[in-house]
Amino acid sequence: MSVTRPEKSKLYYRKMPATWWLQKQSYFLFMLREFSSLFIALFLLVYLVEIYQLTKGPDAYAAFIHKLSSPGWIFFHVVVLLFALYHSFTWFQSSAVVLPVRLGEHLVPRQTVTALHIVAWAVISLVVLILFLTLKG
Amino acid sequence: MTMEKTTEPIWWGLFSAGGVVAAFLVPIHIILVGFALPLGWISDSGALYRIWWVKLYLFILIVLPLYHWGHRHYFTLNHMGLKPISKLLAVLCYGGAIFGTVVTVWVLLKI
């Protein structure tokens, strides 16, 4: 325990109602951003289940893909995609704050750093898409 | 307390790496798995998942965002008034991510 920092129990924490994040739009958006990680994890589990079907044969794999075409699953993936995009954009914005880019003496504006992240993201997504289309059987 | 202090950088590192993976790689996979394949825009036999470096890629793609979720959700739930069961949340969140890692490795080795 460092000398400069008091023990946690000695710090004062203001009691907050459990619904504090509903009181202000910015708090609500913060909570949505936090929950994006849950939706992304849920999607990856669905993806893992899809890949698992391959152990049961090509028919099981095809049947699972067909199952995902139901309106309920499409709705699920629309919601997941919106959360994922929200995560991507807020992550690129915060990366620009956390990792400021310098060019010589000058600090590259945050918006530029975020924009560069978005360009990199588009390129990476395109590469994944091309690889998938090339390798798929 | 000592335990929390020493392991924090590891969890934060995994959280951060998972955040990067989720931000850059996950959306295109949602489009492929959630829309392109089920709606028949493209077809796939799943043969590519048997390539060793694709498996390695999938490991990174699936596992790192699970730690991102675990670390982030642990604090979210604490902030939503569940602080009294903080220890249980830690077990569920970080344990969930570790369990997910084991399951992912198992699936990827089995296909």
Side-chain angles (χ1 to χ4, degrees):
Chain A
M1 182 59 61
S2 82
V3 236
T4 47
R5 196 173 158 186
E7 281 194 38
K8 260 194 177 167
S9 56
K10 287 181 187 158
L11 294 170
Y12 171 71
Y13 289 100
R14 191 156 68 97
K15 284 264 179 291
M16 295 283 275
T19 53
W20 59 270
W21 50 281
L22 290 171
Q23 291 164 4
K24 224 174 162 181
Q25 196 193 9
S26 58
Y27 296 166
F28 182 70
L29 290 176
F30 164 81
M31 218 32 125
L32 276 189
R33 190 159 60 88
E34 295 295 289
F35 266 85
S36 67
S37 66
L38 176 66
F39 285 91
I40 288 166
L42 286 175
F43 161 74
L44 291 169
L45 292 181
V46 172
Y47 193 15
L48 189 64
V49 171
E50 179 167 295
I51 295 165
Y52 170 73
Q53 303 305 312
L54 289 169
T55 64
K56 297 193 269 178
D59 292 344
Y61 182 68
F64 189 82
I65 287 174
H66 180 70
K67 197 166 118 177
L68 295 188
S69 68
S70 72
W73 276 110
I74 294 293
F75 177 72
F76 168 79
H77 282 114
V78 168
V79 172
V80 164
L81 183 61
L82 290 174
F83 271 103
L85 292 175
Y86 192 56
H87 167 75
S88 296
F89 285 105
T90 52
W91 192 265
F92 299 150
Q93 280 171 345
S94 55
S95 295
V97 178
V98 178
L99 305 164
V101 180
R102 272 173 202 284
L103 274 182
E105 295 275 296
H106 299 280
L107 203 62
V108 179
R110 276 177 194 172
Q111 290 90 333
T112 313
V113 179
T114 305
L116 287 174
H117 274 88
I118 293 171
V119 171
W121 172 55
V123 172
I124 290 168
S125 300
L126 193 65
V127 169
V128 171
L129 179 66
I130 291 168
L131 276 176
F132 186 86
L133 293 176
T134 315
L135 297 170
K136 77 182 183 67
Chain B
M1 189 65 206
T2 325
M3 168 87 173
E4 274 173 24
K5 270 199 108 56
T6 51
T7 60
E8 174 63 22
I10 300 169
W11 298 118
W12 198 87
L14 287 167
F15 157 80
S16 181
V20 171
V21 168
F24 282 102
L25 297 173
V26 166
I28 184 66
H29 285 282
I30 297 174
I31 292 168
L32 286 170
V33 174
F35 305 102
L37 289 172
L39 297 177
W41 303 343
I42 50 175
S43 64
D44 172 45
S45 68
L48 81 159
Y49 298 126
R50 296 201 164 89
I51 304 168
W52 71 269
W53 61 266
V54 172
K55 288 188 187 193
L56 193 66
Y57 168 81
L58 285 172
F59 175 76
I60 291 165
L61 176 76
I62 296 172
V63 165
L64 286 179
L66 291 183
Y67 289 91
H68 178 78
W69 161 78
H71 193 67
R72 198 165 213 181
H73 217 62
Y74 169 69
F75 288 101
T76 309
L77 293 173
N78 270 306
H79 293 160
M80 290 178 95
L82 295 176
K83 209 168 173 67
I85 56 160
S86 176
K87 285 247 158 61
L88 177 68
L89 294 179
V91 172
L92 289 176
C93 291
Y94 298 108
I98 293 168
F99 180 71
T101 306
V102 175
V103 174
T104 305
V105 170
W106 179 74
V107 169
L108 292 177
L109 290 178
K110 211 161 177 273
I111 54 172

